[in-house]
Amino acid sequence: MAENTQELKKPGPNELVIDEHPETPPQSGMSIIIKCAIALALGIFVYILPTPDNLSPEGHKLLALLVTVLVLWISEAIPIGVTALCVGAGMIALKIVGRNDAWTPYANPAVMFVLMIIMFGVVLNEVGLAKRMMYHLLKLAGTNVKKLSFILAVGCTTLATILHDATVTVVMVFAFVPVFMAMGMKPGQGHKLPKFFLMLIPMAASAGGFGTMIGGGRNPLALEILYRYTNETTGVGKVIGFMEYLIIQFPISLFTGVATWAVVYLLFRPEEKELVGVKLEDPGPMSTAELGVGLVFLGAFVLWFLGDITGWHVSVVAAMAMVGFCAPGWVSFKTICDKFPWESWIVFGAGVSLGLAMLKTGAGQFLAESCLPLLEGQGSFVTFFGLGFFGSFLSSLMSNSAAVALTLPITLPMADMLNMSPVAVALLAPITTSFIMLVIGCPPTIIAYSAGYFTQVDFIKVAVPWCITLLVISVAAALLYWPMIGVYGG
């Protein structure tokens, strides 16, 4: 690669448009027709199969639609945002769910939170905080790609144990994109270096969300389901406190962080050894806008931590922060909207809508009841891995909290049959639902995808081996580490 001596600077209005997706070579009309025909044919094939006794007609139709949508998303036969809109329309047309149930999830609290957290990234970039954070990161880690990426991966994983993984991702993505722009690497040009970093960031953040009780909503949800189940079956609910949970889960997150770096580096190792052409210039004193945005950001973190006391959903705090950013004029809301990746956000909304429909129609429960009994009589490792893989698969199609809510009521009663501790089964769920195989699986991957540097196929090539590797690590921890600290693993 030719050396580029352009300095790292704050991008101007025309230099960084974050909703610019990879410009792949135009598809021929025949290619589009073939891909769409395959997607429809597979969906029709599932639709004409006999409906199982334990699956509702609506659930059967949903699975047929799901197959078609996944093929369209992965092949990118048509724009992914268009496919996402077809999800809601398809569920209404096929009478799977009503109009409200189809479209309301596109703007449910989790989706609106993701909208605003991505807007946070635009704000950080506009006022110059992203550039400032990148300056200090490069000053600490240097420009060596291997060293920088390792520190980044472990750092993202660790931060995600106490902050929302979407927050960690949006900060890091918006810090790195200007670096690649300064190096002359724009979205859609196929450069491996930005692909490597922008897939590493969301995967590392997602791999740490289970590390503490406040790392994600799936963590306290799993403990609540465990408490209710043990209270009903034994009369004494199993309570796991904050520190006990941290001791059980946090050490595992350190291993998943390192493993994430190793897998992504092995499968997508960039040719560049250094970040060439990036000059480190001290950004100087913070501007009024940087200071103000930084204080609002800090205030939002504090309020998120106090969520159990205030009772406010994370989206409420995010909306308050947006007021703090825009009301003083530190950044224009029009600028935020202009640079917002609307297509990726719609895709996330479609994923949430599909997930809720799987719960409502019983399609998710049908998959669980069909697959999980296959684990009966298997060894501890196979059983744990099977439970984990199923949780990861579901989490790739819906939110991880929804995946936990769907699987645990089914797997906990099966624990005795599978010769497993209900505590171990419950604690495994928030770990394995952190590992996803599709871009639509979680907010961090949607945020990174919105930068436009990698395709869904690029992501799947890395995400599937990554998921399997981290599942193996999690199973090993359940069988080796948990019994050492008094948690029965199997």
Side-chain angles (χ1 to χ4, degrees), residues 167-186:
T167 305
V168 175
T169 300
V170 79
V171 169
M172 289 295 105
V173 166
F174 277 81
F176 267 88
V177 166
V179 173
F180 302 131
M181 298 291 282
M183 295 175 68
M185 298 180 178
K186 296 183 179 180

Side-chain angles (χ1 to χ4, degrees), residues 26-42 68 71-72 75-79:
Q27 301 182 76
S28 66
M30 182 57 67
S31 173
I32 295 173
I33 291 173
I34 291 174
K35 290 177 180 178
C36 290
I38 292 173
L40 288 173
L42 290 173
T68 299
V71 174
L72 290 176
S75 66
E76 297 185 344
I78 57 178

Side-chain angles (χ1 to χ4, degrees), residues 226-481:
L226 172 65
Y227 174 82
R228 291 181 181 179
Y229 173 75
T230 52
N231 188 52
E232 290 176 0
T233 56
T234 67
V236 180
K238 174 63 177 178
V239 177
I240 296 178
F242 184 91
M243 286 305 300
E244 184 181 1
Y245 183 91
L246 185 147
I247 293 171
I248 294 170
Q249 305 284 52
F250 184 78
I252 302 175
S253 70
L254 297 179
F255 286 98
T256 57
V258 173
T260 296
W261 172 82
V263 171
V264 180
Y265 189 78
L266 177 65
L267 297 179
F268 237 92
R269 181 183 305 180
E271 298 174 358
E272 294 84 356
K273 305 298 181 184
E274 300 281 338
L275 298 182
V276 180
V278 176
K279 278 190 176 182
L280 285 176
E281 286 196 353
D282 191 331
M286 293 182 71
S287 66
T288 301
E290 286 180 281
L291 183 60
V293 167
L295 289 174
V296 172
F297 214 56
L298 180 62
F301 287 149
V302 172
L303 289 176
W304 281 328
F305 278 123
L306 298 177
D308 288 340
I309 298 175
T310 64
W312 292 343
H313 186 264
V314 288
S315 60
V316 175
V317 177
M320 294 169 62
M322 290 301 301
V323 174
F325 296 147
C326 297
W330 291 325
V331 64
S332 163
F333 189 68
K334 182 179 185 302
T335 299
I336 296 174
C337 292
D338 288 343
K339 297 190 175 184
F340 186 85
W342 294 102
E343 185 180 39
S344 298
W345 176 67
I346 292 172
V347 171
F348 182 67
V352 172
S353 184
L354 278 171
L356 293 177
M358 289 184 72
L359 292 172
K360 184 177 180 66
T361 63
Q365 183 171 347
F366 164 75
L367 292 175
E369 292 175 347
S370 301
C371 298
L372 295 181
L374 298 175
L375 301 176
E376 186 176 1
Q378 302 295 328
S380 296
F381 183 90
V382 174
T383 302
F384 264 97
F385 187 88
L387 290 173
F389 186 83
F390 185 75
S392 178
F393 168 75
L394 283 183
S395 191
S396 299
L397 304 175
M398 61 179 72
S399 74
N400 41 38
S401 294
V404 168
L406 172 64
T407 57
L408 278 185
I410 299 171
T411 57
L412 284 175
M414 296 173 62
D416 291 334
M417 179 184 72
L418 298 175
N419 193 31
M420 300 176 68
S421 163
V423 176
V425 172
L427 290 172
L428 186 68
I431 299 178
T432 58
T433 53
S434 301
F435 316 140
I436 49 90
M437 293 175 275
L438 297 174
V439 166
I440 63 169
C442 66
T445 50
I446 286 290
I447 292 168
Y449 177 78
S450 70
Y453 279 97
F454 63 86
T455 66
Q456 296 200 63
V457 174
D458 290 331
F459 183 79
I460 292 172
K461 288 178 181 178
V462 179
V464 173
W466 167 73
C467 174
I468 293 173
T469 301
L470 266 60
L471 286 174
V472 170
I473 291 174
S474 303
V475 170
L479 295 176
L480 300 175
Y481 171 60

Side-chain angles (χ1 to χ4, degrees), residues 4-83:
N4 187 325
T5 57
Q6 185 177 355
E7 295 178 0
L8 174 59
K9 60 183 180 178
K10 179 182 175 182
N14 299 320
E15 290 179 297
L16 177 57
V17 182
I18 203 68
D19 61 351
E20 183 179 340
H21 288 289
E23 296 294 336
T24 54
Q27 301 182 76
S28 66
M30 182 57 67
S31 173
I32 295 173
I33 291 173
I34 291 174
K35 290 177 180 178
C36 290
I38 292 173
L40 288 173
L42 290 173
I44 292 172
F45 174 74
V46 173
Y47 179 75
I48 63 177
L49 292 173
T51 302
D53 293 336
N54 59 336
L55 178 63
S56 67
E58 293 78 14
H60 188 178
K61 290 185 286 186
L62 177 63
L63 293 179
L65 176 65
L66 178 63
V67 169
T68 299
V69 168
L70 289 179
V71 174
L72 290 176
W73 264 334
I74 294 171
S75 66
E76 297 185 344
I78 57 178
I80 63 170
V82 175
T83 301

